[in-house]
Amino acid sequence: MDWAVVLKVQAGNVGAFDQLVQKYRQQIFAVIYNMTSNREDASDLTQETFIKAFQAIGRFRGKSSFFTWIYRIAVNTSMTFLKKRNRRRFISYENIDEEASSSEIVERLTASNRSEKGAIVSELQERLNDALQKLSPKHRTVIILHEIEGLEHAEIAEITQTSIGTVRSRLHYAKQQLQSFLQDYLA
Amino acid sequence: MANPPEDSRHNISLEDLLRFKRAERPDQAFWEQFDQQLHQRMLQTLVRKDPWYVQLMHALTGKIAQSTAVAGVAAALAVGVLRPAFVASNDSSQPGLVAQASMNAGSEVDDHVGPAVALMETAPMTAEADYSIDGLSVMAGAGPDAVMRDFGLDQINVASHDRSAYSADIAFPGFATAGVTSSVY
């Protein structure tokens, strides 16, 4: 389906590109937001990702899926940004969806903590973002794509242009790191 | 910092915690602003001027194409017009006989070709007259089709010149390639 839209754009129907934006903007934003932990940067880099894709779509030959291609652009755009940003970190968290406040995990934390639900949610959000930012960008990428976005190892390997073995290895190491950072919450 | 509950430790996995990250989602107002900004940036990209080195490259490419087209037309004229005349003058010891032979040949095909050739025969000795001599000398002893082929060749030369001149003015492909390859992974 994506390929048909890509062909339309390549044929000169520029407006058709909007369909691809509408379809992938939330996922792309989520990846970049979790990479940067800054909603303004994530918004800017998500737009940059789509502009790069728009400029290069004439040369997209469909060897990989559009989904893989746009994710690769997003990941590389984030990586370039993070290298430039160096150690300077500006945290700007995204809103938590209301459904999450009543999720099972929040209920469990609230039940025995006696703290206000809002405070627990904010605390968890801060701890998770902080833990992710402690990972190296490469390890952060695989954990975000696999555990948060739910992509398969093979898809991640294609996006990051590495082997499946490398993806598994990075994932294993990243999980170990996160478990040590978040041990207060875990068994 | 609120302490995580003791009894929840055995019930929460890392995967559960990370799944919570999916709940960090922008609201509808954010996406409306996002779409607006994205469209604006895409339009800016479309009208953005190329860097100076890309402009210079386009300018040079245009000049080269133009020069090549002019040289091509000149070469075609030299081969198509001057060379047959030169060969014809070498074949005959008396140049006047060439014209005479051409005039004779012209009268042979006059019935078939019609007013166009007749007009050329009566034209003064200008560039057109030169063409007429060329055409007639080539098809001496040939049928009227040869005359038509000869004129057809002249038309192709002119069309070729126009095409290259127009192609050098095309701007959009230049935009499509500018500065994109390096920024896409």
Side-chain angles (χ1 to χ4, degrees):
Chain A
M1 187 216 163
D2 286 348
W3 179 239
V5 180
V6 168
L7 287 176
K8 278 186 193 174
V9 180
Q10 287 178 340
N13 184 356
V14 179
F17 188 76
D18 201 44
Q19 292 175 41
L20 298 169
V21 173
Q22 296 299 317
K23 184 174 178 183
Y24 290 108
R25 63 181 189 181
Q26 293 198 22
Q27 291 156 281
I28 297 297
F29 175 85
V31 170
I32 298 175
Y33 168 71
N34 287 317
M35 290 289 288
T36 59
S37 289
N38 183 301
R39 73 195 301 267
E40 286 76 27
D41 288 341
S43 174
D44 194 46
L45 294 172
T46 305
Q47 288 177 17
E48 197 177 318
T49 298
F50 282 113
I51 288 167
K52 282 179 181 175
F54 179 66
Q55 287 177 319
I57 203 164
R59 292 192 301 284
F60 179 70
R61 294 284 169 263
K63 286 177 186 171
S64 61
S65 65
F66 180 81
F67 153 81
T68 309
W69 188 66
I70 192 93
Y71 263 72
R72 193 182 304 151
I73 296 173
V75 167
N76 286 319
T77 303
S78 304
M79 290 287 198
T80 307
F81 171 80
L82 291 171
K83 277 179 195 166
K84 285 181 189 169
R85 192 173 75 168
N86 283 328
R87 291 180 185 279
R88 288 180 297 117
R89 279 179 57 199
F90 301 100
I91 303 297
S92 166
Y93 295 137
E94 188 51 80
N95 300 322
I96 296 283
D97 193 81
E98 281 183 18
E99 286 176 24
S101 300
S102 56
S103 66
E104 193 183 347
I105 187 171
V106 174
E107 293 297 339
R108 264 189 262 168
L109 288 170
T110 313
S112 54
N113 198 293
R114 292 194 183 87
S115 298
E116 193 198 349
K117 195 184 275 184
I120 288 174
V121 168
S122 299
E123 165 80 17
L124 183 58
Q125 182 182 25
E126 192 181 327
R127 290 289 302 278
L128 281 170
N129 278 290
D130 195 44
L132 276 176
Q133 291 303 314
K134 284 181 184 169
L135 295 175
S136 76
K138 284 179 181 176
H139 291 98
R140 204 183 308 156
T141 304
V142 291
I143 206 91
I144 289 167
L145 293 179
H146 186 68
E147 295 297 339
I148 302 175
E149 291 301 305
L151 302 191
E152 300 294 330
H153 293 169
E155 290 172 319
I156 299 169
E158 203 178 340
I159 291 164
T160 56
Q161 294 179 300
T162 52
S163 67
I164 294 177
T166 304
V167 171
R168 286 187 179 140
S169 162
R170 285 180 184 172
L171 201 55
H172 179 72
Y173 179 79
K175 277 186 179 181
Q176 277 186 331
Q177 292 282 99
L178 286 176
Q179 271 174 336
S180 69
F181 299 147
L182 299 166
Q183 59 185 339
D184 293 348
Y185 289 94
L186 305 167
Chain B
M1 181 188 292
N3 292 322
E6 284 293 323
D7 59 348
S8 70
R9 290 186 179 190
H10 299 284
N11 298 326
I12 298 173
S13 68
L14 179 64
E15 287 74 18
D16 289 333
L17 286 177
L18 288 171
R19 221 167 286 133
F20 183 80
K21 288 284 291 169
R22 294 179 190 168
E24 287 181 273
R25 284 195 294 233
D27 53 19
Q28 189 55 37
F30 170 88
W31 288 118
E32 283 167 14
Q33 195 185 1
F34 176 91
D35 286 341
Q36 203 177 357
Q37 286 175 345
L38 178 62
H39 286 145
Q40 201 173 351
R41 284 178 71 174
M42 285 172 73
L43 285 174
Q44 282 171 351
T45 309
L46 286 171
V47 298
R48 185 180 296 157
K49 281 182 79 174
D50 291 333
W52 65 268
Y53 49 86
V54 176
Q55 289 182 31
L56 181 67
M57 194 182 73
H58 287 317
L60 286 175
T61 312
K63 289 281 181 195
I64 290 167
Q66 215 168 13
S67 307
T68 309
V70 170
V73 171
L77 283 172
V79 171
V81 179
L82 299 177
R83 192 168 176 277
F86 178 73
V87 170
S89 67
N90 280 350
D91 286 348
S92 170
S93 54
Q94 293 179 323
L97 290 179
V98 176
Q100 185 61 45
S102 302
M103 294 301 283
N104 291 341
S107 63
E108 282 173 23
V109 297
D110 199 11
D111 296 339
H112 304 291
V113 178
V117 173
L119 183 67
M120 285 195 296
E121 285 173 353
T122 57
M125 292 298 283
T126 59
E128 286 84 353
D130 191 32
Y131 272 103
S132 72
I133 290 167
D134 176 40
L136 295 172
S137 64
V138 166
M139 49 119 250
D145 289 344
V147 176
M148 299 310 288
R149 270 201 306 274
D150 189 49
F151 278 100
L153 265 177
D154 289 340
Q155 289 166 350
I156 288 168
N157 286 336
V158 172
S160 166
H161 168 73
D162 287 344
R163 191 175 57 238
S164 55
Y166 279 110
S167 67
D169 291 334
I170 294 170
F172 191 73
F175 155 74
T177 56
V180 174
T181 313
S182 62
S183 58
V184 174
Y185 309 88

